[in-house]
Amino acid sequence: MSIEVSKLSKQYGSQWAVDDVSFDIPTGQVVGFLGPNGAGKSTTMKMLTGYITPTSGSAKINNLWLGEDDLKIKRTIGYLPEQNPLYFDMYVKEYLGFVANLCGITKEVPKRVAQMIDRTGLEREQHKKIGTLSKGYKQRVGMAQALMNDPNVLILDEPTSGLDPNQITEIRKLITSIGEERTVLLSTHIMQEVEAMCSRVIIINQGKLVADDSIADLHKLHKKGKKVIVQFKNPADVSSLKNISGVQKVEALSNNRYEISAGVETDFQEKLFNYAVENQNIILEQKEIEDSLETVFRSLTN
Ligand code: ADP
């Protein structure tokens, strides 16, 4: 396991910012860490990276105990904090050389810096002052910094926040390629981001873990009902569609198409077919639509 978290908690005054959270992440998974603002994501990440001490509970990173081997842990992880602290007066290349020294890299520093510049697409910006870079490029400098020590666990706190759509796409590509070889835990509240990059989702709300599943299972487990779009050959009567047992809502769309919401009962399809036969109306097309991850997220965190 790359990350093992057991009953981790953090109390600020009377508030439990993180409350009894447990999860394990095996090597080589990209995991989305979701939750509304204030849910406890950053606090959890700060504990996992050794920046703040848990009130209770324990965690192991790369088989090393947090609180016992923090320096060794820091050597094996890369961390991009939400407020990425950079020295704005330093030049990109100069700064990354400085980071390499901090990481204890003594041999072939220019080569390592050049690799990181190449990996994060900073070639054209490497001679610029960090303060003059756009937010997207500052974020790349943060990624280059996080990757400098060749970590096998990366902890990224809202890596795409404040970026424009093009920058988001590029950072996502970078994270996806990094995730092919390493374990990545990334926090975000953008659902498309999770669907694009992550195989698994951990959701916390008010400090407590409320879900830990693959994206497919999350859809299955938290399914509230079925939503089907059906197209008939001839117009159908909305009130008679509503009378099919289990149907909760019917919305008429264009071209004899109807969006029908029903409970999770399994024989809904059969009932719809019988309805079509009884009303001598042919079903031309029928497709089930899944609740978006956003809907699942809202139902778990509202
Ligand atoms: P998230 O990253 O999910 O938005 P945070 O981990 O930043 O959430 O915060 C969780 C809760 O802990 C929030 O209510 C926040 O106000 C509180 N909190 C975070 N850091 C501190 C701190 N240093 N002192 C007091 N409260 C804090």
Side-chain angles (χ1 to χ4, degrees):
M1 287 289 166
S2 290
I3 303 179
E4 293 162 76
V5 176
S6 175
K7 298 177 174 293
L8 203 63
S9 301
K10 179 73 187 176
Q11 190 176 25
Y12 288 120
S14 59
Q15 181 194 6
W16 288 93
V18 175
D19 191 356
D20 208 26
V21 165
S22 302
F23 57 84
D24 291 339
I25 305 180
T27 307
Q29 256 188 6
V30 180
V31 178
F33 194 34
L34 304 185
N37 276 332
K41 302 180 295 294
S42 296
T43 305
T44 305
M45 289 180 149
K46 283 182 196 157
M47 288 192 277
L48 295 182
T49 49
Y51 283 83
I52 56 172
T53 315
T55 306
S56 59
S58 61
K60 266 169 129 181
I61 313 283
N62 290 320
N63 293 318
L64 299 166
W65 287 105
L66 206 68
E68 285 179 11
D69 286 313
D70 289 8
L71 205 58
K72 277 194 198 154
I73 289 177
K74 281 183 183 159
R75 287 197 188 111
T76 68
I77 59 171
Y79 175 39
L80 179 66
E82 189 186 2
Q83 309 291 345
N84 179 13
L86 296 167
Y87 291 116
F88 283 10
D89 283 334
M90 288 180 90
Y91 296 90
V92 171
K93 198 172 169 184
E94 175 197 20
Y95 175 71
L96 292 176
F98 167 69
V99 170
N101 287 333
L102 286 183
C103 290
I105 298 170
T106 49
K107 278 188 216 148
E108 300 187 316
V109 171
K111 191 175 160 197
R112 183 79 192 135
V113 169
Q115 277 173 348
M116 289 304 99
I117 285 174
D118 177 49
R119 186 89 208 258
T120 53
L122 280 165
E123 295 87 350
R124 279 172 42 198
E125 320 294 320
Q126 60 180 307
H127 301 297
K128 291 187 185 166
K129 268 195 180 175
I130 292 174
T132 67
L133 300 180
S134 67
K135 171 108 195 203
Y137 279 105
K138 286 192 185 110
Q139 204 67 338
R140 285 173 195 234
V141 176
M143 290 290 282
Q145 169 178 349
L147 289 167
M148 185 63 78
N149 57 345
D150 198 21
N152 56 8
V153 171
L154 260 183
I155 297 190
L156 309 174
D157 199 353
E158 302 205 10
T160 57
S161 102
L163 304 187
D164 71 33
N166 292 337
Q167 293 168 334
I168 289 180
T169 308
E170 288 181 7
I171 290 280
R172 274 187 200 164
K173 265 196 224 155
L174 178 62
I175 295 173
T176 306
S177 80
I178 292 167
E180 285 166 8
E181 313 139 13
R182 298 154 216 259
T183 304
V184 181
L185 178 66
L186 70 98
S187 76
T188 177
H189 33 233
I190 307 169
M191 298 303 137
Q192 299 95 308
E193 193 138 296
V194 175
E195 296 196 290
M197 290 189 286
C198 307
S199 54
R200 174 176 160 200
V201 179
I202 294 174
I203 304 180
I204 60 167
N205 189 34
Q206 296 180 358
K208 286 191 191 305
L209 192 139
V210 291
D212 178 0
D213 289 296
S214 69
I215 293 185
D217 282 350
L218 204 64
H219 281 298
K220 266 189 233 145
L221 283 168
H222 300 282
K223 203 167 174 167
K224 289 265 159 61
K226 261 196 179 114
K227 209 180 258 180
V228 171
I229 294 194
V230 56
Q231 183 176 23
F232 291 105
K233 188 165 185 191
N234 300 311
D237 175 32
V238 169
S239 57
S240 67
L241 281 170
K242 276 187 188 156
N243 283 338
I244 300 175
S245 94
V247 168
Q248 293 158 347
K249 200 175 146 204
V250 177
E251 201 182 321
L253 310 171
S254 57
N255 297 330
N256 302 336
R257 284 157 66 241
Y258 302 84
E259 185 180 298
I260 305 176
S261 306
V264 273
E265 45 188 296
T266 48
D267 58 351
F268 168 68
Q269 235 79 355
E270 195 181 316
K271 285 179 185 151
L272 191 63
F273 178 75
N274 289 339
Y275 168 90
V277 172
E278 279 161 23
N279 289 274
Q280 297 185 353
N281 201 348
I282 295 167
I283 294 176
L284 295 180
E285 200 188 336
Q286 180 183 331
K287 71 170 181 231
E288 191 171 337
I289 39 181
E290 255 189 351
D291 269 346
S292 67
L293 191 57
E294 192 133 5
T295 311
V296 175
F297 175 80
R298 268 194 260 118
S299 80
L300 283 168
T301 57
N302 246 343

